[in-house]
Amino acid sequence: MDLSQIDPILLITSIMVVSTPLLFAAIGEMVVEKAGVLNLGVEGMMIVGAIAGFAIAVESGSVIIGFVGAAVGGAILSLVFGILTQVFLANQVPAGLALTLFGLGLSALIGQPYAGIRPPQSTTLDVPLLSDLPVLGPILFQHDAMVYLSLFLVTATWWVLKHTKTGLIIKAVGENHEAAHALGYKVVKIRLLAIMFGGACAGLGGAYLSLIRVPQWTEGMTAGAGWIALAIVVFASWRPERVLLGAYLFGGIGALQLRLQAAGANIPVEYLSMSPYIVTIVVLVLISARKSNAGTAAPASLGKMFHATN
Amino acid sequence: MKSIKPILAGAALAMGLTGAAQADDPLEVGFIYVGPVGDFGWSYEHNQGRLAVEEHFGDAVETTFVESVPEGADAERVMTQMALEGADLIFSTSFGYMDPTNAVAARFPNVRFEHATGYRRDHSNVSTYSARFYEGRAVIGTIAGHMTETNKVGYIASFPIPEVIRGINSAYIHAQRVNPDVEFKIVWVYTWFDPAKEADAATALIEQGVDVIMQHTDSPAAMTIAEEQGIFAFGQASDMAQFGPTARLSSIIDNWSPYYIERTQAVLDGTWESTDTWDGIEPGMVEIGEIADSVPAEVRAEAEALSASIESGEYHAFTGPLNRQDGSVWLAEGETADDGTLAGMDFYVEGIEGEIPN
C-alpha cells in the first residue's frame, strides 16, 4: 500500500466538491427543523432542483441562472409540502415521503428531453496571486462559486440563529409553537418561509450534482443524497457548525475510500462506507443519554402539528 | 410517481375485470428494474426489451414495469404484488433479485419467473438468463490495452460477484495480451446506480494517472467525466455515445429483445419450461458498439477479428495458459474454461493487483 500516491491537496479539494451538495441540503433542512417542521422530502426537492437547474442552465446558457432556477424550483416544490402540512394540517411524515416520490416522478418527466445533453461549463474562481499560492491556492481559492456560497450559507445560518432576533423567533417557533403564537408571532408564516428556504437549499444541492459534479442529467441521479442530508442534521444535533463537519465527514469518507482503492490500498470498503451511519447512531445514543441534564438537542415542537385555536 | 403507475394500473384492471367478462385475456408480463428506465445503461436496455415485446405481440400481451426497486425485501414485495395482480410472466432483471425471485416463485407456482444473471432455479417455474458480457469485455479490453498511453486502465466495479469479476478478468487478459505493461486500477463502488459516486470514482482513477476507463455500473456518469477530462471510456450496457462524443472508444450493448420475445412466445404457446440461458456475441445478446474513429485502423481490425472469432466459436475468451492471481495454474495451454467455473468465478487471474473484497 502506497499512500504517497494520494495527493493530499487533490483529496481535500475533492472532499469539498463531493460534500457541497450534502452541505446545501443539510443546512436547509436544519433551518426547517429548527422551525419545528420535519420535511422528509429532501431527496425529492434535490432531484427537482437538479433537473430545474439543468434545464434552465441549458436553455439560458448560463450556469448562474440555472442555479437560481434550481433554488426557485426547490422552493416551489417545498411549498406544496408547506401548504399541505401548515395550512391543511397534513401529517408531516407521509407528506414528506410523498414529496420525495412526487419529486422523483416529476423530475423524470421534465428531464425526458435533457438526457445526453451537456450543460454549459461552470467557471472556477481564479484570483490573481491567491489562486497560485502553493497548497492554500488549490484548497481555498480555486473552487467554483457554489462551494463558497455553501460555506457562506453555513456561516450566515449560524450567525442568524445565534445573534439575531430572527434567529430567536425561528427557534421559539420550533421549541414551543404555542408560546410563540401567544407572543404574537405568525407560526404558520414563519414555518412556510423556513420550509421554502430548505427547499431552495436542497434545490441548489441537487443542481450542484447535475451542473458541476457529474455534469449531466440522469433520472434518479441524487441516489439517496437527500436521505444522507437528513442523517447529517441529526448527526449535527441541529447545529450549523456541526452540519458543516457532518457534511464534510460523510462526503469525505466517500471520497477518501474511492481514492484509497484507486491507489491500490487494501481497505475494507464496506466498513468505511458504513462508518458515517454508525457515527450517526452513536451521536443519537449520546444525545438521548444527555437528555437528563441539558435537554434534548431536537427542537421540542419538531414534527408536531400546530393549529391556532385563538 | 412512475413506480406507482403499475399499482394504479393493476387496480384499474381489477375493477375492469369485475365488470365485463373478457374473452381474450392478454398475457400479463411484468418487469422489475434496479435503476430508473432513464439510466441510459442497464435498466434502459431491459426496458427496450420490454418495449420490443409490446411491439411484437400487440394486444396479445400487456406489460407493466416497476423501476428503481432496491435489491432485497422490496423486490419480494413488488414481485408479490405483480403476481397478485395477475402477471403470468415476470422478468426480474438484477442479480440481487435472486433470492426474492425464488421466494415469490415458491408461493405462485402458476406464474413463470425469469431471473437475469443469477444461478438459482429452486422451482420448476424459475428460469435464469444472462449474457456472456465477458466476450464483449475481451474485445474492449483489447482496444483499451492498445489505447492507453500511461499503461493504466481504470475499472469502476459495482459488487464483488462472479459476473463482475469475470468481466475484470476477461478485460485484463486481453488488454495484457496486446500490452504486457498494462496495469488495472479497480475501484469498488458498491452500487449499480449512483451517478455522483460513479463520477467521483472516475475522478479518483484519473488522479491516479488512468487514461482509459471501463465500468461495470449503470449510469453514463464516468463517460461524462472522461469526456470532460479528455481521456477514453467505453459505453456500458448501452452505447452512451451522446455522453462522450470524443471519449467513447466503443461499447458493450446488451440486447435483450430477442430473448424476451422468445420467452413470451413460449408462455403463449404453452411450451415454457425452466431453462438456463447464457448467450454471448453469437446470438446477438451481446453487441459491440461501433468502434470510434479515434481508434487506429489496425487496432479496430484486431478488435473486429477477435469479436468474429468469438462469434464463430473458434476462440473462447478464457483460453489457457492462464494462472490464478496466486500463480497456481487455472487453465493449461489450449484449455478453455467451463461454464461452472465461470459462473462461480471468485478469483483474479495472474497479473491483476489487489484483493477482491468479500
Side-chain angles (χ1 to χ4, degrees):
Chain A
M1 169 157 99
D2 184 10
L3 291 183
S4 64
Q5 285 182 28
I6 300 178
D7 183 340
I9 298 169
L10 272 180
L11 177 66
I12 293 171
T13 52
S14 4
I15 287 175
M16 292 175 80
V17 168
V18 168
S19 309
T20 297
L22 297 175
L23 185 54
F24 271 120
I27 196 71
E29 176 67 12
M30 195 207 77
V31 171
V32 178
E33 293 190 13
K34 271 284 180 196
V37 180
L38 181 65
N39 185 354
L40 293 180
V42 184
E43 178 84 359
M45 301 185 296
M46 279 185 92
I47 192 82
V48 164
I51 185 56
F54 190 89
I56 292 168
V58 167
E59 301 300 342
S60 69
S62 157
V63 176
I64 296 170
I65 299 179
F67 274 110
V68 173
V72 172
I76 292 174
L77 189 71
S78 70
L79 200 55
V80 174
F81 168 86
I83 290 172
L84 280 174
T85 57
Q86 303 306 310
V87 180
F88 296 111
L89 301 180
N91 187 311
Q92 292 173 10
V93 172
L97 294 173
L99 193 71
T100 288
L101 290 176
F102 177 61
L104 286 169
L106 181 68
S107 64
L109 183 70
I110 303 172
Q112 298 278 359
Y114 292 98
I117 292 181
R118 297 184 65 73
Q121 282 279 326
S122 56
T123 47
T124 51
L125 189 72
D126 188 18
V127 189
L129 296 177
L130 286 180
S131 297
D132 304 326
L133 284 175
V135 185
L136 284 181
I139 295 175
L140 293 179
F141 302 110
Q142 283 182 18
H143 290 290
D144 52 88
M146 297 309 288
V147 170
Y148 302 107
L149 180 64
S150 68
L151 295 172
F152 169 77
L153 265 179
V154 173
T155 320
T157 304
W158 168 82
W159 191 77
V160 167
L161 286 177
K162 195 161 173 96
H163 293 293
T164 68
K165 191 179 170 195
T166 314
L168 282 175
I169 295 170
I170 293 174
K171 284 190 279 189
V173 168
E175 291 298 335
N176 188 338
H177 48 215
E178 299 292 353
H181 175 69
L183 286 170
Y185 293 117
K186 297 198 165 20
V187 174
V188 170
K189 192 180 118 194
I190 292 161
R191 285 188 170 166
L192 280 175
L193 287 172
I195 290 168
M196 284 172 72
F197 175 77
C201 286
L204 288 176
Y208 193 82
L209 281 175
S210 64
L211 286 175
I212 294 178
R213 207 175 132 195
V214 180
Q216 76 183 23
W217 165 249
T218 317
E219 264 180 46
M221 69 183 298
T222 44
W227 300 108
I228 296 176
L230 281 162
I232 290 172
V233 176
V234 176
F235 167 88
S237 48
W238 295 270
R239 289 202 187 167
E241 68 278 10
R242 292 191 192 163
V243 165
L244 177 67
L245 178 76
Y248 277 36
L249 181 72
F250 274 64
I253 288 175
L256 177 67
Q257 62 105 344
L258 290 176
R259 275 154 188 84
L260 283 172
Q261 287 195 60
N266 276 324
I267 47 149
V269 185
E270 51 281 47
Y271 296 112
L272 210 47
S273 311
M274 224 189 276
S275 54
Y277 302 96
I278 294 174
V279 175
T280 305
I281 294 170
V282 171
V283 169
L284 276 175
V285 171
L286 289 178
I287 289 171
S288 56
R290 244 182 14 187
K291 218 172 188 172
S292 49
N293 42 29
T296 58
S301 295
L302 182 61
K304 288 185 186 152
M305 224 178 270
F306 172 73
H307 181 53
T309 43
N310 47 14
Chain B
M1 246 356 225
K2 262 196 188 157
S3 331
I4 299 175
K5 206 161 60 185
I7 299 166
L8 293 178
L13 187 72
M15 283 187 281
L17 284 175
T18 52
Q22 296 196 341
D24 287 325
D25 198 10
L27 186 77
E28 289 279 331
V29 186
F31 291 79
I32 84 166
Y33 308 132
V34 72
V37 296
D39 70 356
F40 285 88
W42 176 259
S43 298
Y44 173 81
E45 289 298 333
H46 283 286
N47 195 51
Q48 293 302 108
R50 179 187 70 87
L51 294 172
V53 167
E54 280 209 327
E55 194 181 316
H56 184 86
F57 292 101
D59 293 340
V61 168
E62 208 164 80
T63 70
T64 53
F65 71 92
V66 183
E67 61 185 349
S68 300
V69 179
E71 298 179 331
D74 264 354
E76 190 161 337
R77 178 180 57 76
V78 170
M79 281 185 278
T80 304
Q81 184 75 20
M82 275 183 174
L84 286 173
E85 281 166 11
D88 302 296
L89 173 64
I90 293 174
F91 290 94
S92 58
T93 64
S94 192
F95 178 79
Y97 298 155
M98 180 157 68
D99 297 348
T101 303
N102 282 284
V104 179
R107 276 183 281 132
F108 296 93
N110 294 326
V111 180
R112 281 84 161 188
F113 292 83
E114 295 266 355
H115 176 238
T117 70
Y119 50 81
R120 272 183 61 193
R121 292 175 300 282
D122 298 0
H123 313 284
S124 60
N125 58 334
V126 181
S127 282
T128 52
Y129 64 102
S130 185
R132 296 179 186 270
F133 304 114
Y134 67 86
E135 297 185 352
R137 299 264 175 211
V139 179
I140 66 169
T142 304
I143 300 174
H146 278 295
M147 295 301 287
T148 175
E149 284 175 8
T150 59
N151 292 329
K152 287 177 184 167
V153 173
Y155 205 111
I156 303 172
S158 47
F159 297 96
I161 57 171
E163 188 202 321
V164 177
I165 296 166
R166 221 159 41 225
I168 296 172
N169 282 333
S170 175
Y172 177 77
I173 291 166
H174 294 86
Q176 203 264 344
R177 196 162 289 170
V178 298
N179 179 353
D181 296 327
V182 81
E183 191 188 328
F184 267 38
K185 293 195 173 290
I186 301 157
V187 168
W188 298 92
V189 292
Y190 279 86
T191 179
W192 288 113
F193 177 81
D194 184 342
K197 200 167 185 185
E198 294 169 51
D200 198 33
T203 310
L205 287 165
I206 295 168
E207 284 169 12
Q208 291 296 320
V210 155
D211 64 350
V212 177
I213 288 184
M214 292 189 191
Q215 65 175 71
H216 203 136
T217 46
D218 297 353
S219 95
M223 179 67 85
T224 308
I225 297 295
E227 180 76 21
E228 207 174 53
Q229 302 281 324
I231 66 152
F232 294 124
F234 294 93
Q236 162 68 10
S238 256
D239 197 52
M240 298 186 181
Q242 71 267 46
F243 295 95
T246 56
R248 178 191 160 285
L249 292 172
S250 181
S251 55
I252 299 177
I253 304 170
D254 312 344
N255 180 7
W256 304 107
S257 308
Y259 181 77
Y260 287 171
I261 290 171
E262 178 197 321
R263 300 304 284 172
T264 308
Q265 188 66 53
V267 176
L268 285 169
D269 296 346
T271 55
W272 190 97
E273 51 184 38
S274 173
T275 53
D276 177 25
T277 305
W278 202 10
D279 283 345
I281 292 180
E282 191 272 310
M285 198 178 257
V286 176
E287 291 174 5
I288 304 296
E290 199 195 329
I291 298 172
D293 293 340
S294 48
V295 179
E298 65 272 18
V299 176
R300 175 202 300 256
E302 190 181 340
E304 281 167 353
L306 181 68
S307 174
S309 69
I310 292 173
E311 188 172 350
S312 67
E314 184 187 317
Y315 174 71
H316 189 287
F318 291 105
T319 305
L322 286 174
N323 291 345
R324 294 190 181 86
Q325 190 183 33
D326 58 15
S328 62
V329 175
W330 173 34
L331 296 171
E333 175 83 43
E335 197 185 342
T336 57
D338 62 283
D339 280 359
T341 312
L342 290 183
M345 190 172 244
D346 58 357
F347 58 88
Y348 283 148
V349 293
E350 194 174 38
I352 298 180
E353 282 169 25
E355 278 171 36
I356 301 172
N358 32 20

